[in-house]
Amino acid sequence: NQLPFHFGAGNTQPFAIDNEQNIIYVCGCYKSMAILQIDDAHKNEWRIINNVSDTNIGLGSRGVVINQQYHIIGGDLRNKHLVFNDKTEELDVVHDFDKVPNLKINTHQMVKV
């Protein structure tokens, strides 16, 4: 299945794959997220969540799944570590890097778990 149009490759939004649960997470522009559960029961259909806070994170962010949770780290518009809360369908702030002087988390390549 294809992503909705506003999740196009030109937007360079962070995505991550949860190999244990067979889920693909994509953080889109315009306060949207898409989640694809890859199995027969869900028929490989995208679950679109609208009105998600903090999704306008800009360029250079990275998505990663840690302990079956989708994390977004950095970005030139949101210098934060966010985690997707599946119950509230919001991005919760784990760390706000703007509070650290002279630190900009943009295009990171490593996460310590």
Side-chain angles (χ1 to χ4, degrees):
N1 291 341
Q2 294 182 349
L3 279 167
F5 71 93
H6 58 279
F7 289 94
N11 292 330
T12 64
Q13 297 300 313
F15 73 95
I17 300 171
D18 183 337
N19 290 319
E20 292 179 24
Q21 299 185 93
N22 295 323
I23 297 175
I24 298 174
Y25 295 92
V26 181
C27 181
C29 297
Y30 316 115
K31 296 187 174 188
S32 297
M33 284 193 56
I35 300 171
L36 176 62
Q37 178 79 44
I38 306 169
D39 61 23
D40 291 336
H42 293 88
K43 300 181 183 176
N44 298 340
E45 292 182 8
W46 288 100
R47 176 177 147 213
I48 306 300
I49 302 170
N50 293 306
N51 298 317
V52 179
S53 61
D54 277 328
T55 59
N56 189 19
I57 53 181
L59 301 174
S61 59
R62 295 288 183 258
V64 63
V65 173
I66 303 169
N67 296 327
Q68 300 179 341
Q69 287 188 305
Y70 176 50
H71 295 253
I72 301 170
I73 301 172
D76 63 348
L77 299 178
R78 294 278 190 269
N79 197 27
K80 298 177 182 177
H81 172 184
L82 306 169
V83 65
F84 179 67
N85 184 326
D86 198 47
K87 291 179 184 174
T88 64
E89 296 187 340
E90 291 290 334
L91 290 169
D92 297 333
V93 176
V94 177
H95 298 288
D96 186 347
F97 299 115
D98 285 329
K99 296 178 180 178
V100 180
N102 302 317
L103 177 64
K104 188 72 173 168
I105 305 298
N106 194 3
T107 66
H108 84 283
Q109 297 297 319
M110 184 180 341
V111 176
K112 182 178 180 183
V113 180

